[in-house]
Amino acid sequence: MRFQKVIVLNASNASLCSSNQLPSIKEYFEGAYVYGIAFYSAGALVLLLVLLLFADSLRHVLHSSSPRFKTYTAYVLAVYPVICLLSYMTILVPRAYLLSDALMQVTLTSSLYQLFCLFVAYCEGEATLAKKVGDTKLSLKTNPLCCCCSMLPAFDVTKSTMKFLKIQVLQLPIVQGFIYLLYLVMWLESQELYEGAYWYLQSFIIVSFLCGIWGLNMTTKLLTKGVDGKFLFQKKLTILQLVIPLTQLQAFIKKSLVQYGVLPCNPPLVPMFYGNLIFNAVNMVEMLLLGFCARNLYKRGLPEINDRSIQAGGIISTVFGSVAG
């Protein structure tokens, strides 16, 4: 009889380990013991440091930047504390991981669009940008797409050209937000449906990212050649772009480790839980380092420009209002 109970128990544990059923908060805290308390405390310390870095950067932006730059710069700098906060939320609430991932992607992609708007604001608008770059041509031969296509033509910089680049970057938060909304709906309907569709929809995410980054890189390359280099276009793009490969690569590694049974299983703490825990802990440390680099970068002085203040029309117009221009 005891032998049969052991068999049933082992079969139950094997079934749990092969599933992606994450523990509840109660199960999580009961299984984590004293190690969990130390882990939560370390995570809270990292989050506090990231928030302090952001507060210091924001104070400098509000006091020293031109009014036309403040909103865009604050939005770009906010990506690091927001992603860090979402990672810590997932560490505390394991079942919130998919919602956290969706919010991370929307935050990151909308920040990339805000960075594009900031670069245009540095040049005092699209029309002035076209004048400042002069005879500099827009080259399609730029990473990550078409970098090896030497036969591609170069184009004059006009308002239509900037509209094309803007649409490329703007599609990032729209496409990513829509796909992650689908993920959330499928996950709520059926976890098997979500797992089955995940890799298929990842191809659309990758294509969207490549097109958006291509547009940003073309814009940055154009501005680096034709506008004052003290704006540090390339460095500001790089420090934000680094978030993408780090988060995407870690997410791929996490899923691979779970799929091939590398991570431990101590029901109800299944391998997916450990994968999410490692992913988010590393993510928080990376946001601390990137936030520190961004703080030093954005606290540098900018070249003098003619300051014509623009009126903000609320959050919606700040994020998407420049599209109409």
Side-chain angles (χ1 to χ4, degrees), residues 213-230:
I213 296 304
W214 186 41
L216 261 175
N217 283 341
M218 283 192 289
T219 305
T220 304
K221 186 176 180 180
L222 175 69
L223 297 178
T224 302
K225 291 180 179 179
V227 185
D228 194 333
K230 291 183 180 179

Side-chain angles (χ1 to χ4, degrees), residues 18-240:
S18 62
S19 73
N20 291 327
Q21 182 62 44
L22 293 170
S24 64
I25 297 178
K26 181 181 179 181
E27 293 171 333
Y28 174 30
F29 278 81
E30 287 177 351
Y33 304 112
V34 68
Y35 303 105
I37 297 174
F39 199 78
Y40 312 145
S41 302
L45 177 61
V46 172
L47 177 59
L48 177 61
L49 291 174
V50 174
L51 291 173
L52 289 175
L53 288 173
F54 172 67
D56 182 53
S57 305
L58 186 62
R59 180 186 61 81
H60 174 79
V61 168
L62 294 178
H63 284 83
S64 305
S65 293
S66 167
R68 74 175 68 230
F69 305 153
K70 288 181 180 179
T71 304
Y72 298 131
T73 307
Y75 201 109
V76 171
L77 289 170
V79 69
Y80 307 106
V82 169
I83 291 181
C84 189
L85 177 61
L86 291 171
S87 295
Y88 189 61
M89 180 186 75
T90 309
I91 290 175
L92 294 178
V93 187
R95 292 180 180 177
Y97 83 98
L98 188 56
L99 176 62
S100 175
D101 283 352
L103 293 175
M104 282 184 192
Q105 292 302 313
V106 172
T107 300
L108 174 58
T109 52
S110 58
S111 294
L112 289 169
Y113 177 67
Q114 289 297 298
L115 184 67
F116 175 88
C117 294
L118 178 62
F119 285 175
V120 173
Y122 282 157
C123 301
E124 302 178 66
E126 295 173 6
T128 309
L129 186 154
K131 294 178 182 178
K132 284 189 174 184
V133 297
D135 296 330
T136 306
K137 302 287 186 179
L138 177 67
S139 175
L140 300 180
K141 187 182 175 182
T142 310
N143 292 323
L145 300 176
C146 305
C147 56
C148 301
C149 302
S150 57
M151 303 300 293
L152 289 174
F155 297 92
D156 293 327
V157 180
T158 63
K159 201 167 183 179
S160 298
T161 308
M162 295 308 300
K163 181 78 71 176
F164 166 72
L165 294 173
K166 183 183 297 183
I167 291 173
Q168 277 191 288
V169 183
L170 179 60
Q171 59 81 25
L172 267 172
I174 296 174
V175 173
Q176 302 289 321
F178 178 72
I179 292 177
Y180 271 87
L181 177 62
L182 287 179
Y183 277 155
L184 286 168
V185 171
M186 288 187 292
W187 185 78
L188 290 172
E189 176 64 25
S190 169
Q191 208 164 22
E192 289 75 16
L193 177 63
Y194 163 72
E195 292 292 337
Y198 178 85
W199 295 109
Y200 294 103
L201 290 176
Q202 278 294 303
S203 59
F204 292 98
I205 288 179
I206 293 172
V207 170
S208 173
F209 263 123
L210 290 176
C211 290
I213 296 304
W214 186 41
L216 261 175
N217 283 341
M218 283 192 289
T219 305
T220 304
K221 186 176 180 180
L222 175 69
L223 297 178
T224 302
K225 291 180 179 179
V227 185
D228 194 333
K230 291 183 180 179
F231 284 111
L232 304 173
F233 295 109
Q234 188 59 57
K235 290 183 178 180
K236 289 177 180 178
L237 174 61
T238 300
I239 202 68
L240 185 58

